[in-house]
Amino acid sequence: MAKIISGKEVSLAVKQEVADEVAQLKNEGIEPSLAVILVGNDPASKVYVNNKKKACDFCGIRSLEFLLGEETTQEELMELVERLNNDETVNGILCQLPLPKHLDEQAVLNAIKPQKDVDAFHPENVGHIMIGDYAMLPCTPSGIMEMFRYEGIELDGKNCVVIGRSNIVGKPMAMLMLKENATVTICHSHTENLKKIVSEADVVVAAVGIPKFVTADMIKDGAVVIDVGINRMEDGKLCGDVDYEACEKKASYITPVPGGVGPMTIATLMKNTVTAAKIQNKRGK
Ligand code: NDP
């Protein structure tokens, strides 16, 4: 039976560290703050924004919410980003994705000042991740790396397979594992022999968006299985990209959904907000 890596437990440890650092910064007269922009009425996005606010409250980070209507124009959104870019009391800016279809997501992400880009989606920050020298951490992949550290899982020399190549999860995940000297393969919808590739992995990270995509026959005995997927089923329950019940019997470590990678993403966001506050107040990384 696999050891369950609890995102709740690990994220609590990370948030506690952040809270301690925030308390110290406040003693120096610095109050880290995060501005979150939500456009439209997507119920899942509202839940995420609410969870981010709760994490800010826990860490002592000042949180500002900008809830904009579905009909918001590109111009209005860009104006808000510009205002927040220029507001010295705001350290981090996050625009909750996805945006309504009529809005240009990439243009908004590009407009956020790299120093305030706590999601690390700006091309400048993405470039830093690529060369392995970065202050803003890619939230979900960094949260996963934190889980490896917490559990003492070594990646050096290991065969790691990432399923999914999105800009927010798959690609930066591969970069972070590569930095730790893993041998990394990225699979996607055009990958041939995916089952064979996954079956040879010491570590599998599934970020596909298909419920129970990774089945027990695909993983090798003792593999570390990380499930990034968040899929809402018809009965309203959440399901990951991994067949948890079956893979749990074969893996050495596994993350549950919910309560796995999700809370880690938010914990890293808190870390990034403090980093942003420190950079803007010339306190180093
Ligand atoms: P995307 O939809 O952007 O990417 C999915 C990736 O999976 C693509 O690269 C796609 O390949 C690949 N894929 C799709 N079908 C197959 C297939 N049959 N075989 C192999 N690869 C396939 O998703 P995200 O990366 O944004 O998110 C992935 C999942 O993680 C979602 O469930 C999302 O909700 C969740 N998520 C969870 C987070 C958390 O904090 N826990 C944070 C972010 C996301 P191709 O590129 O060829 O199309």
Side-chain angles (χ1 to χ4, degrees):
M1 284 292 260
K3 174 158 196 251
I4 298 163
I5 311 178
S6 165
K8 282 186 192 157
E9 183 184 321
V10 189
S11 69
L12 188 62
V14 173
K15 284 188 295 183
Q16 193 54 60
E17 271 175 37
V18 173
D20 293 345
E21 207 172 357
V22 170
Q24 210 176 322
L25 286 171
K26 281 184 177 169
N27 281 338
E28 298 171 32
I30 299 166
E31 186 187 24
S33 72
L34 173 66
V36 176
I37 304 169
L38 174 62
V39 187
N41 300 308
D42 180 51
S45 291
K46 282 187 177 169
V47 172
Y48 294 142
V49 167
N50 197 33
N51 288 342
K52 286 165 188 173
K53 186 179 182 312
K54 279 191 207 155
C56 282
D57 291 346
F58 180 94
C59 296
I61 293 171
R62 187 169 71 102
S63 73
L64 300 113
E65 276 180 35
F66 295 86
L67 309 177
L68 309 182
E70 186 84 30
E71 69 295 340
T72 300
T73 64
Q74 185 78 23
E75 206 183 3
E76 286 166 337
L77 186 53
M78 299 297 262
E79 269 174 24
L80 173 60
V81 169
E82 198 46 33
R83 185 150 59 82
L84 296 172
N85 275 341
N86 295 327
D87 184 339
E88 285 184 6
T89 67
V90 171
N91 302 120
I93 305 170
L94 179 153
C95 183
Q96 185 65 44
L97 303 180
L99 288 172
K101 294 262 177 298
H102 67 281
L103 296 170
D104 181 348
E105 253 173 38
Q106 197 56 50
V108 176
L109 299 181
N110 290 358
I112 295 173
K113 235 185 206 175
Q115 286 189 342
K116 296 193 177 189
D117 169 37
V118 282
D119 259 336
F121 289 163
H122 189 284
E124 195 176 309
N125 286 325
V126 173
H128 283 297
I129 294 161
M130 188 78 181
I131 57 175
D133 172 22
Y134 44 90
M136 291 301 178
L137 307 163
C139 291
T140 302
S142 289
I144 294 169
M145 298 303 281
E146 202 73 58
M147 288 175 140
F148 293 144
R149 273 191 291 275
Y150 189 87
E151 297 292 345
I153 298 167
E154 268 289 332
L155 297 183
D156 198 314
K158 293 285 157 53
N159 186 12
C160 298
V161 172
V162 181
I163 317 175
R165 58 172 164 178
S166 70
N167 289 334
I168 61 169
V169 188
K171 284 187 206 163
M173 185 75 238
M175 285 304 126
L176 265 50
M177 291 174 132
L178 194 59
K179 196 173 181 222
E180 293 303 315
N181 299 320
T183 302
V184 186
T185 306
I186 307 178
C187 297
H188 45 79
S189 67
H190 296 248
T191 299
E192 291 178 4
N193 302 320
L194 183 137
K195 267 193 172 184
K196 183 171 182 298
I197 296 168
V198 175
S199 72
E200 288 167 0
D202 301 308
V203 179
V204 181
V205 178
V208 195
I210 300 177
K212 301 190 179 183
F213 181 82
V214 176
T215 48
D217 60 323
M218 287 166 80
I219 62 164
K220 82 170 176 189
D221 276 324
V224 175
V225 180
I226 306 293
D227 192 350
V228 182
I230 301 178
N231 307 292
R232 177 80 58 186
M233 307 308 279
E234 273 180 11
D235 61 5
K237 288 195 179 138
L238 294 181
C239 173
D241 289 348
V242 172
D243 182 353
Y244 180 86
E245 282 75 24
C247 290
E248 188 196 12
K249 298 183 178 75
K250 226 173 152 187
S252 57
Y253 291 90
I254 194 164
T255 62
V257 176
V261 173
M264 295 309 301
T265 301
I266 296 182
T268 308
L269 177 69
M270 298 299 109
K271 250 182 143 167
N272 279 348
T273 304
V274 171
T275 301
K278 283 182 358 193
I279 291 173
Q280 286 154 42
N281 288 281
K282 312 224 170 350
R283 294 291 198 285
K285 276 190 200 177

